[in-house]
Amino acid sequence: MPTVACHDCDLLHRLGPLPEGVTARCRRCGGLLRKRTRNGFERTLALALAAAILFAVANAFPFLSFEMRGRVTQTNVVTGIVDLWKGGKPEIAALVALTIEVAPVAQLSLLLYVLGLVRIGRVPPGLPTAFRLLRHATSWSMIEVFMLGIIVAIPKLMGMATIVPGLALWSFVLLMLVLSAAMAAFDPEEVWERVEGRR
Ligand SMILES: [Zn+2]
């Protein structure tokens, strides 16, 4: 039985597999040791698939349209990043590309790789590395920070031009929610249990 330390008081517990919907708490302080969500595996997989579709839509369609003195300019996410780069802000362009493109793509690909293979009854090669990379990708994936920046910028821009939110903007809003829900439902322990049960 694996040993788990309480995050709050460091008391060690021996913790076996938990049934679905059960929460394990510390004997001494009541701190959360582990939570097994109901249908966590299937929920994460479904949400990750939905997030992948939303990500594709968010990148394929216009993000914002500006109308200024009868001239309409449309931007999408990638052209926005390229414009930042060309406009002499390469560091910001690289940071935006990393946090809203590269990291979320890595996060979703790794999640779908692991869950997809386990779902069809296979053990994903390089599983510990995939989990490690997923942790890094998740910490760099910051769609919500980007959206906050957009929400702050839109009222300022509205003074200068007519702003029409595009399909990509709404997809980003949904993506932000669906991706957080996927990560909240994701339980790496459950993946290990399924993989080990098959060995
Ligand atoms: Zn405790």
Side-chain angles (χ1 to χ4, degrees):
M1 225 182 265
T3 310
V4 183
C6 171
H7 288 294
D8 299 319
C9 75
D10 285 333
L11 183 69
L12 294 176
H13 298 75
R14 297 181 79 71
L15 194 63
L18 289 184
E20 285 196 353
V22 168
T23 305
R25 292 193 172 277
C26 173
R27 230 180 306 129
R28 183 157 66 192
C29 74
L32 182 69
L33 293 176
R34 209 189 134 193
K35 193 178 169 183
R36 177 77 179 269
T37 46
R38 221 173 276 280
N39 295 324
F41 185 93
E42 277 73 22
R43 261 217 328 254
T44 314
L45 183 57
L47 288 165
L49 281 170
I53 294 166
L54 286 168
F55 186 86
V57 174
N59 279 282
F61 288 90
F63 193 79
L64 285 176
S65 305
F66 302 86
E67 200 198 319
M68 215 173 171
R69 294 193 210 101
R71 257 190 67 197
V72 180
T73 317
Q74 267 189 351
T75 64
N76 66 39
V77 177
V78 175
T79 59
I81 293 171
V82 171
D83 286 345
L84 264 175
W85 188 282
K86 286 185 185 157
K89 301 242 184 324
E91 309 83 7
I92 296 175
L95 202 60
V96 173
L98 175 69
T99 52
I100 69 163
E101 294 284 329
V102 180
V105 165
Q107 192 184 8
L108 284 171
S109 314
L110 288 162
L111 213 49
L112 289 173
Y113 165 73
V114 169
L115 299 176
L117 283 182
V118 172
R119 183 74 182 77
I120 59 167
R122 288 185 48 200
V123 177
L127 188 57
T129 312
F131 273 135
R132 213 165 25 246
L133 291 174
L134 179 61
R135 252 201 324 274
H136 287 302
T138 306
S139 59
W140 279 103
S141 166
M142 296 178 200
I143 292 171
E144 59 288 348
V145 178
F146 174 73
M147 290 313 297
L148 197 68
I150 298 292
I151 290 167
V152 172
I154 284 179
K156 288 186 186 168
L157 291 169
M158 272 158 90
M160 297 185 265
T162 310
I163 309 282
V164 184
L167 186 57
L169 195 143
W170 302 118
S171 305
F172 258 112
V173 173
L174 284 176
L175 174 62
M176 178 178 78
L177 300 173
V178 171
L179 195 55
S180 325
M183 292 320 287
F186 180 54
D187 181 1
E189 292 289 330
E190 193 187 348
V191 173
W192 283 117
E193 275 164 24
R194 286 194 184 216
V195 165
E196 269 153 18
R198 226 166 261 145
R199 274 189 187 136

